[in-house]
Amino acid sequence: MDINCPECHNTFSVPQKYAYHAGFGNVGFLYCEACPNLVVFSSFDPRYTRIAGEVHPWMLNFIKKWKVEGALMPCPCGGRFRFAAKPRCPLCNEPVPAILPDAIHFIETGERFDGDTHPIWKS
């Protein structure tokens, strides 16, 4: 999928055909607050459920979101993965929330760190 950045007006490509719906895949996702990277994990991951209980990530209250954020490794860029962070343009690094249809969809604008294959959780 090609996306025209509403900030820098350049076009970038992402490795997907459409925005992913987190609820259909039972996944949680958080964008980095400082770069286009994102972390994705199963809402049934035992490391996640030890922190949040058996609650899907999009249903968490502020305290549980804060605990999940604190349990994640920092992004390789040095930033933190945050529920409130928005996708960023990989060309200008500006937040571009307008590219998403709503808060339960996500687009991989940067590197995706998947909890099934990457060590995303602190020990």
Side-chain angles (χ1 to χ4, degrees), residues 14-96:
V14 296
Q16 61 201 85
K17 295 181 180 181
Y18 47 84
Y20 296 135
H21 190 286
F24 291 154
N26 290 317
V27 298
F29 67 92
L30 293 85
Y31 286 100
C32 178
E33 64 188 359
C35 79
N37 293 339
L38 110 134
V39 67
V40 178
F41 55 88
S42 168
S43 54
F44 301 110
D45 183 319
R47 292 158 295 194
Y48 167 75
T49 58
R50 273 195 296 275
I51 300 161
E54 294 187 15
V55 178
H56 291 295
W58 54 91
M59 302 295 291
L60 295 176
N61 64 28
F62 175 80
I63 299 295
K64 297 264 178 139
K65 284 181 181 180
W66 179 77
K67 287 181 179 182
V68 170
E69 290 173 347
L72 290 168
M73 298 290 288
C75 181
C77 80
R80 305 286 310 175
F81 293 104
R82 303 282 187 207
F83 281 99
K86 303 301 180 203
R88 291 178 172 272
C89 172
L91 304 173
C92 69
N93 202 40
E94 287 297 315
V96 288

